[in-house]
Amino acid sequence: MSNRILRVAAPLLLVSSILSGCASTSSSGDAVLNQGNWPLCSLIGGLAGGGLGSIESSAWAAGGAALGAIAGGLICYAQDGDEDSDGVFDRRDTCPNTPSGKTVGVNGCPAPSYPQVAQSAPPAAQDEVIVLSDQGEVLFAFDSAELTPAAQSALAEVAGRLSGASMVSVKVVGHTDSVGSEDYNQRLSERRAKSVAGYLASQGVPRDKLSTEGFGESQPVADNGSEEGRAKNRRVEIHVDR
């Protein structure tokens, strides 16, 4: 009995070895055979099994052919290949011949690609110079650093623009017209700059970011020979560094 089993097993093992080697090389030598070739493998297995079985008897030939055909088909089907080298076995590859280097999904088809949306950087915060002068509403009481109600209202609005982490510093610069002595106007411009800075601080602008400077009558922007020109020169500049 054991001899008969051995005689059955030997042809099957030999057929399996032949077909395994066959399934590892394609006809062109550059890719493995896939499940599409299982009929050919079954035929080869049947012929090989039948031929080996005929050594024993005609009955063995028929059985060997049947077993060889089954074994051949199963071996070739199981040893699936990847003919287009996309990383998906041919048995599951529903998109054969995918171009080399193309990213594919689990079914072997090219993965969908979506256009890259450029992330636009937020606009950089801009430095700013805010100018308040007597040309519109009068900023200070006559010959004084006391703010008028109109000036306080304007500065409260300015303070609302001086918040946020982007603000680095705020410098308040005072200027006067040429009426009076140069020395007096210098001191007056400094006092007025400090008055504005103090009011901005009361409106929430951090004191550690505030500084002041006065230039007196030394930097006019208009002709001091006219009232209109002098009103333009009596001004406060708020330099915002962001």
Side-chain angles (χ1 to χ4, degrees):
M1 181 67 175
S2 60
N3 289 336
R4 290 187 176 182
I5 295 175
L6 181 59
R7 288 176 181 178
V8 173
L12 290 178
L13 289 174
L14 182 57
V15 170
S16 299
S17 299
I18 294 171
L19 292 173
S20 294
C22 179
S24 64
T25 308
S26 69
S27 57
S28 62
D30 58 2
V32 297
L33 290 173
N34 58 30
Q35 79 282 0
N37 294 318
W38 69 266
L40 177 60
C41 291
S42 294
L43 177 60
I44 296 173
L47 291 175
L52 292 170
S54 66
I55 297 173
E56 180 67 22
S57 68
S58 58
W60 281 101
L67 292 174
I70 295 172
L74 291 175
I75 290 172
C76 279
Y77 191 88
Q79 296 207 15
D80 198 7
D82 183 11
E83 194 164 356
D84 55 6
S85 302
D86 61 358
V88 178
F89 289 130
D90 292 334
R91 183 168 5 104
R92 292 187 289 109
D93 196 339
T94 57
C95 293
N97 303 320
T98 303
S100 177
K102 190 77 173 178
T103 303
V104 299
V106 295
N107 61 350
C109 293
S113 60
Y114 304 97
Q116 294 278 339
V117 178
Q119 298 292 329
S120 57
Q126 299 293 318
D127 293 345
E128 183 180 10
V129 178
I130 303 168
V131 180
L132 302 177
S133 73
D134 279 355
Q135 190 177 20
E137 300 284 352
V138 177
L139 299 179
F140 301 95
F142 178 72
D143 197 25
S144 166
E146 181 183 351
L147 291 167
T148 64
Q152 291 179 356
S153 177
L155 289 172
E157 182 181 347
V158 170
R161 296 157 56 184
L162 304 181
S163 60
S166 64
M167 193 187 70
V168 177
S169 64
V170 177
K171 186 175 184 179
V172 181
V173 180
H175 300 271
T176 69
D177 58 24
S178 62
V179 177
S181 70
E182 184 176 342
D183 183 62
Y184 177 82
N185 286 333
Q186 175 62 36
R187 293 196 303 273
L188 180 61
S189 68
E190 293 171 359
R191 287 176 16 234
R192 286 180 170 178
K194 290 178 180 178
S195 177
V196 169
Y199 190 81
L200 290 175
S202 72
Q203 298 299 304
V205 179
R207 288 186 180 274
D208 61 345
K209 294 187 177 183
L210 285 164
S211 62
T212 63
E213 188 173 7
F215 285 99
E217 60 184 74
S218 65
Q219 295 183 1
V221 294
D223 183 7
N224 276 306
S226 67
E227 178 55 39
E228 182 181 358
R230 288 192 295 273
K232 289 182 179 179
N233 290 333
R234 295 192 298 271
R235 69 193 189 279
V236 173
E237 298 174 353
I238 303 171
H239 295 253
V240 184
D241 182 14
R242 291 189 174 91

